[in-house]
Amino acid sequence: MTSPRFDLARRQTRLDELRAAHHVPGASLAVLTEGSIHEMASGVLHRGTGVEVTTDSVFQLGSIAKMYTATLVMQLADSGALDLDAPVIGVLPEFATTDPEATRTITTRQLLSHTSGLTCDFIQDTGRGDDCLARYVEAAREVPPDGPPGTFSYSSVGYNWLGRLVEVLTGQVWDQALKDRIIAPLGLRHTMTLPEEALSFRAAMGHLGESGKDPDPVPAWDLMPRSAGPYGRVIAGAADVVRLAKLHLDGGVAPDGTRLLAPGTVAAMQGWEADCPDRWSVSSDGWGLGWSLYDWNGVRGYGHDGASVGQYAYLRVVPEAGVAIALLTNGGSARRLYDALFRELLGELAGVRMPEPFGPPARPPVVDVTPYLGTYRRAGVVITVSERAGTPHLTYAFVEGMADFHPPLEMDVVPVSGTVFAARGDGSSVSEDWMPVVFATLRDGTPCAYMAMRAAPKVG
């Protein structure tokens, strides 16, 4: 499929309009189509200073960092240093969970595809030293998993284990391995991992605030510890994010002809590894080896989303059209901006018809919620499902290391189907309109509730 000629002036005007309409302070957009990367910028990096966003500005990518780690891991698999289907403990003796059987059996493939059962939101600041990742995973050994191996549950902890795997097999800290094996070969001049490196660039400040209003700058920039690197701590410009996607579109070959991944490895990363029970939080239909996978009415694609404190990033790739789009933002109704902008761009450039935003039907079905009442818990979060005046209600409380992250969320829920409910969001980028709540059963028969693609087992 070929795409129409890219009208940069028209696209810039549309970005400006949509960004302002959705109260996003600043945005950077890069679009790969017909072999060329087109760059646009709009708004300001910081509403307090008024410094404008430029195409060379850098933003925090949040979980899009996982794709950099996945690419590193697959390079090691290419080299023969790693068997994706062998137990992790065979090459990383320090690997452990609170479940001895899981410790013995979890594979690298399961870590890549979020099917290890390991949890997500374990926050641990282990300092700025080069041993920060080793110290993080040592602490993570004591964190209960969300479910047995084979359970799909989006896992940042799993990606930090992958980062540690990279360190052990390369003899380098994760940051340096990323520089030497991906950043330098791809010529990514606006990609880095440490805050002091970002000082050389125009860096975006995150913003938070009420929905429908201009948000305010967050109190501090880059609140993630260094140990968050493999799962969430890459800083980059939009065009550099697209260049990473182009590596995968080009079958693993860098612009200078250097092969960084084997063609079969690139294809394997885009292959279907797991269904995603929560198909709405990031509009994913399934998961590959790192990539979130999409089926847009028969047009397949892949990508990833990311979020840090007040910054939100989106990457989508349509291989049959040769299209890749990266949008980086610093607050406001970023999810709505993404939906409006990508709906237009993917439709016009790649023939994609994106699904409508998640929400309850006009006439919700009648569902007996009695089997779902109770308490669900995973590391950092307690979910309580109850009834208030005959209406299903959900309390989402942050605990343990997440206790200071946000006050508890109180949400009435509306049935979408017999197992899927819609909870009214509180204004965050992920759940500004409706947040999906999916009730399911783990592989060991334990009932669970999925929110934000994370499984929380029922405990009471």
Side-chain angles (χ1 to χ4, degrees), residues 86-100:
V88 174
I89 197 169
V91 291
L92 193 62
E94 66 198 88
F95 178 75
T97 77
T98 57
D99 178 351

Side-chain angles (χ1 to χ4, degrees), residues 124-161:
Q124 186 86 348
D125 188 346
T126 51
R128 285 273 310 181
D130 286 352
D131 64 345
C132 65
L133 195 51
R135 294 174 61 196
Y136 175 97
V137 295
E138 181 179 1
R141 292 157 52 107
E142 305 303 321
V143 180
D146 293 342
T151 298
F152 181 91
S153 191
Y154 185 79
S155 177
S156 290
V157 170
Y159 267 76
N160 259 14
W161 277 113

Side-chain angles (χ1 to χ4, degrees), residues 88-111:
V88 174
I89 197 169
V91 291
L92 193 62
E94 66 198 88
F95 178 75
T97 77
T98 57
D99 178 351
E101 180 63 20
T103 298
R104 288 192 293 270
T105 62
I106 288 174
T107 66
T108 303
R109 183 181 299 275
Q110 290 174 323
L111 294 178

Side-chain angles (χ1 to χ4, degrees), residues 45-60:
L45 295 169
H46 188 300
R47 289 192 60 239
T49 65
V51 175
E52 293 183 348
V53 181
T54 54
T55 55
D56 60 354
S57 297
V58 297
F59 292 70
Q60 296 171 35

Side-chain angles (χ1 to χ4, degrees), residues 399-415:
V399 298
E400 301 156 350
M402 298 280 287
D404 296 329
F405 180 73
H406 197 283
L409 308 178
E410 300 288 348
M411 301 176 281
D412 287 339
V413 295
V414 181

